[in-house]
Amino acid sequence: MTFLEKQSDPTSFMHWRGDMQADYLYTNGVAGNRFFAHLKKKDTFLASRCPQCKKVFMPPRMFCEDCFCDIPDKAWIEVPARGTVRVWTVATINAHGKKLKEPKVIALIDIDKTDSAMLGIIKTKNPDKDLFGQKVKAVLRPKKKREGTLKDILYFE
Amino acid sequence: MREVAVIGGGMTLFRRRLLETGKELSYLATKMAMEEAGIEKQDIDMVVLGSAPDAFDGIHIKGDNLVDGCAAAGKPYVRVFNGGGTGVFAPIAGWWHVASGVADVALVVCEEKMGSCYPHPQTAFRHIWDPILDRPLNPNLVWLFAMEMNRYMTAHDIKKEDIALVAVKNKRNAVGHPCAQLADPNITVEDVLNSEMMAWPVQRLDISPPSDGASALIYCSKDKARQFTDEPVWVAGTGWTIDSTMWTNRDLYFPQYVANAAKMAYKMAGISNPFKEIDIAEPYDPFDYKELHHMEGLLLCDKGQAPILTREGVTQRDGDLPVCPSGGLLGVGNPIAATMGQKVCELYWQLTGKAGKRQVPGDPRVGVGQAWGDIMQMGTVIVLRK
């Protein structure tokens, strides 16, 4: 049997209405602090290179998870804010099942000169286009408006 | 079951709020333990992570987020958690990985980043209650512990001054601890008694502080132990017990579930007279009265006798039974699961003579560590012996 019902009415049972409100303040971390301080001022990304296996992490890390060693400050490098689409999808409904006004293209982008990919939103006029291997660059907020958070990367195009 | 040796421990700073992410804290503690044990990531067969509610760090299923910092990427891994009991339960789970023979070398990492829950991690504790039967009253954990403390004091006619001695001892013991958050060489009983009243009889200095921090411990099997160390410390016994959520129906003056866990651990360790046979105890001390309550639960003395031993100095670092020589949660801090650093790593450091300024004199050979968690339900106990 295929279950197609999208909503049921739990209020038809006797119930108590609660919430799990809790607010958070997430610290950037040692590596994150340096990465976002750089992103606030520059149009490039910072990455960190493991001194042992030479793997380049972006976003950067203070340690290599494979070699399990520190990545010292001097092993950090500046890389261009661009890359290549490795894989992608197009979302057409939101988490509540409602149709989106415009399809949203989400991609995993291999960042140039690194061994890492990051999740990004792709701005495109043609969401049906095959994006495999597409070269994209990050569009950042105007420098004056940057906050030093991931939101400073508006999208890739 | 195979014999299991402890070969390394690690611990970060404990602070109210640290810049490091949970992943970075886990890395720092793990790296320290690996350096102490003299091993590399490839030497580790399996990883156990202990971390209490997701709501502290603010990442659902947070264990999966922490694994890169726990040397676990690419390895068999499991997260265990039972609230405050986790700090001793995670090393119990690590022990059974090696005791069972499925791993020769197992790493245990415990992490908590309570500072993320802002402005105060107490907001996370609002959601641990039964939503239908408790939460409509908007309960606070301190209410519960205030009632347990009150019942314990009333059952044995204990004075607050005697309970405050525990806070004074532990905050002073913590002075030698490089990770300590609330060490105070000059604190007095008057300071505790004059601190802010929160919920009678609980006052500000009766409670340990929330913290960010991580700790790590490395085990290996007996046949491999000599590769890493000449002085292995052995896991002699483990025990754990959970009681019903109906704490309302228990007499709060005595934690029977802790006693059950202790009996299980002592039986395994062949201990028949805990007070005589144990050289160091690290009972869970998130509140000063809990150290006393748990000493009795651990059967280290008769019911109601723990305050007397404390007043007589028996539990001081140079006493007959040093209790919380690490400085405990009251002095070093309380990043819930990461208190494995005081409750288990400390025993390892004490038994190997690596405890520095905190070293208990007289060549201690047997230590017991204990934690307590969920809604006054969970008792977790471990015995180490050299």
Side-chain angles (χ1 to χ4, degrees):
Chain A
M1 193 179 89
T2 309
F3 185 69
L4 292 172
E5 186 185 24
K6 286 198 172 170
Q7 290 283 337
S8 62
D9 181 15
T11 61
S12 61
F13 300 105
M14 283 182 75
H15 60 274
W16 165 263
R17 203 178 277 272
D19 63 33
M20 293 214 351
Q21 195 203 333
D23 297 310
Y24 290 92
L25 190 150
Y26 299 97
T27 53
N28 282 346
V30 174
N33 242 26
R34 201 166 162 202
F35 173 70
F36 287 116
H38 175 92
L39 189 64
K40 229 174 143 173
K41 290 192 225 130
K42 301 283 181 73
D43 296 321
T44 53
F45 292 147
L46 269 190
S48 67
R49 179 191 277 128
C50 171
Q52 289 183 29
C53 69
K54 310 297 179 196
K55 192 188 261 188
V56 178
F57 294 100
M58 210 313 285
R61 293 180 162 203
M62 62 174 261
F63 64 93
C64 173
E65 67 177 42
D66 298 322
C67 307
F68 227 69
C69 63
D70 293 352
I71 301 183
D73 288 0
K74 63 178 193 298
W76 284 50
I77 56 170
E78 204 172 338
V79 298
R82 59 170 190 258
T84 308
V85 174
R86 185 195 298 180
V87 66
W88 54 281
T89 184
V90 183
T92 48
I93 61 170
N94 71 13
H96 302 285
K98 294 258 167 63
K99 198 163 180 71
L100 292 169
K101 279 182 197 151
E102 281 180 26
K104 195 168 192 169
V105 181
I106 302 111
L108 207 50
I109 300 150
D110 282 311
I111 302 299
D112 283 5
K113 298 187 190 297
T114 75
D115 301 296
S116 306
M118 72 180 290
L119 193 64
I121 306 297
I122 305 278
K123 198 168 183 187
T124 171
K125 284 182 181 144
N126 184 7
D128 300 325
K129 192 183 157 193
D130 181 347
L131 291 176
F132 286 112
Q134 174 100 12
K135 300 282 182 199
V136 290
K137 68 173 199 321
V139 174
L140 305 175
R141 276 180 175 147
K143 276 187 187 155
K144 270 189 275 180
K145 292 193 174 168
R146 288 185 205 166
E147 305 169 327
T149 74
L150 201 62
K151 292 271 192 186
D152 290 341
I153 304 170
L154 293 171
Y155 52 85
F156 286 81
E157 64 176 16
Chain B
M1 280 186 300
R2 304 198 302 173
E3 285 190 67
V4 179
V6 184
I7 57 168
M11 193 168 166
T12 67
L13 274 183
F14 284 5
R15 290 290 181 272
R16 176 70 180 87
R17 192 169 284 115
L18 288 167
L19 169 64
E20 284 84 355
T21 61
K23 228 180 263 204
E24 290 173 341
L25 289 171
S26 302
Y27 168 76
L28 293 170
T30 301
K31 185 74 181 164
M32 183 178 160
M34 282 165 61
E35 280 172 1
E36 192 169 76
I39 66 167
E40 304 284 336
K41 185 181 171 185
Q42 69 256 25
D43 300 316
I44 297 166
D45 296 321
M46 296 188 184
V47 178
V48 173
L49 173 71
S51 201
D54 288 345
F56 287 142
D57 294 46
I59 303 172
H60 278 306
I61 323 177
K62 66 173 159 177
D64 308 6
N65 179 266
L66 298 170
V67 291
D68 332 343
C70 303
K75 294 185 187 291
Y77 147 89
V78 69
R79 172 186 172 197
V80 295
F81 49 109
N82 34 43
T86 311
V88 172
F89 191 71
I92 290 173
W95 160 80
W96 78 50
H97 277 61
V98 179
S100 64
V102 297
D104 283 330
V105 178
L107 163 71
V108 182
V109 186
C110 284
E111 181 273 0
E112 217 75 58
K113 192 163 166 69
M114 301 173 79
S116 297
C117 191
Y118 185 82
H120 199 283
Q122 275 296 337
T123 53
F125 285 125
R126 290 168 56 205
H127 311 133
I128 64 173
W129 309 83
D130 186 289
I132 302 296
L133 303 176
D134 295 322
R135 270 179 54 190
L137 294 172
N138 201 17
N140 183 302
L141 268 187
V142 179
W143 296 2
L144 236 76
F145 304 140
M147 287 191 284
E148 189 180 65
M149 181 170 172
N150 199 353
R151 175 71 192 124
Y152 175 61
M153 288 169 67
T154 308
H156 300 302
D157 196 20
I158 298 165
K159 292 195 179 70
K160 266 219 73 175
E161 288 85 328
D162 284 340
I163 291 180
L165 282 169
V166 174
V168 170
K169 169 177 68 70
N170 292 2
K171 287 174 194 295
R172 288 185 177 209
N173 277 352
V175 170
H177 204 303
C179 307
Q181 180 178 354
L182 280 186
D184 186 344
N186 303 312
I187 189 170
T188 63
V189 166
E190 287 68 38
D191 293 333
V192 180
L193 297 179
N194 291 333
S195 64
E196 182 187 8
M197 182 61 70
M198 299 176 74
W200 167 260
V202 174
Q203 290 174 264
R204 177 71 63 184
L205 292 179
D206 293 316
I207 306 192
S208 58
S211 308
D212 290 355
S215 56
L217 192 72
I218 297 173
Y219 288 126
C220 86
S221 58
K222 189 178 182 180
D223 23 318
K224 286 212 170 173
R226 298 286 169 195
Q227 286 178 25
F228 301 112
T229 176
D230 296 330
E231 311 173 298
V233 166
W234 305 102
V235 180
T238 61
W240 61 101
T241 296
I242 196 161
D243 209 332
S244 150
T245 46
M246 298 194 101
W247 59 274
T248 44
N249 295 5
R250 288 197 277 280
D251 191 336
L252 300 176
Y253 88 108
F254 183 75
Q256 185 60 47
Y257 47 94
V258 172
N260 292 358
K263 283 176 192 163
M264 176 177 165
Y266 295 155
K267 188 178 174 195
M268 197 184 299
I271 290 175
S272 53
N273 184 338
F275 180 79
K276 274 200 175 159
E277 294 173 57
I278 289 170
D279 302 320
I280 303 174
E282 278 283 347
Y284 205 60
D285 62 321
F287 291 70
D288 43 13
Y289 83 93
K290 288 306 300 188
E291 172 171 312
L292 306 170
H293 206 234
H294 287 151
M295 281 170 65
E296 294 170 19
L298 287 169
L299 312 172
L300 294 168
C301 58
D302 290 338
K303 293 173 185 176
Q305 296 300 297
I308 296 164
L309 294 181
T310 304
R311 199 192 314 140
E312 290 174 348
V314 174
T315 62
Q316 293 285 343
R317 184 173 285 135
D318 58 358
D320 284 347
L321 178 63
V323 177
C324 291
S326 66
L329 281 54
L330 289 162
V332 184
N334 187 7
I336 312 292
T339 59
M340 176 176 78
Q342 298 103 300
K343 300 299 143 192
V344 188
C345 297
E346 179 74 10
L347 296 178
Y348 162 71
W349 289 321
Q350 290 285 355
L351 299 184
T352 48
K354 291 176 182 166
K357 288 179 184 164
R358 308 184 307 284
Q359 186 62 49
V360 166
D363 191 29
R365 308 194 68 80
V366 182
V368 64
Q370 175 256 334
W372 163 75
D374 297 332
I375 300 185
M376 304 202 289
Q377 281 168 278
M378 186 78 198
T380 51
V381 177
I382 194 164
V383 178
L384 300 188
R385 180 189 279 142
K386 77 173 173 191

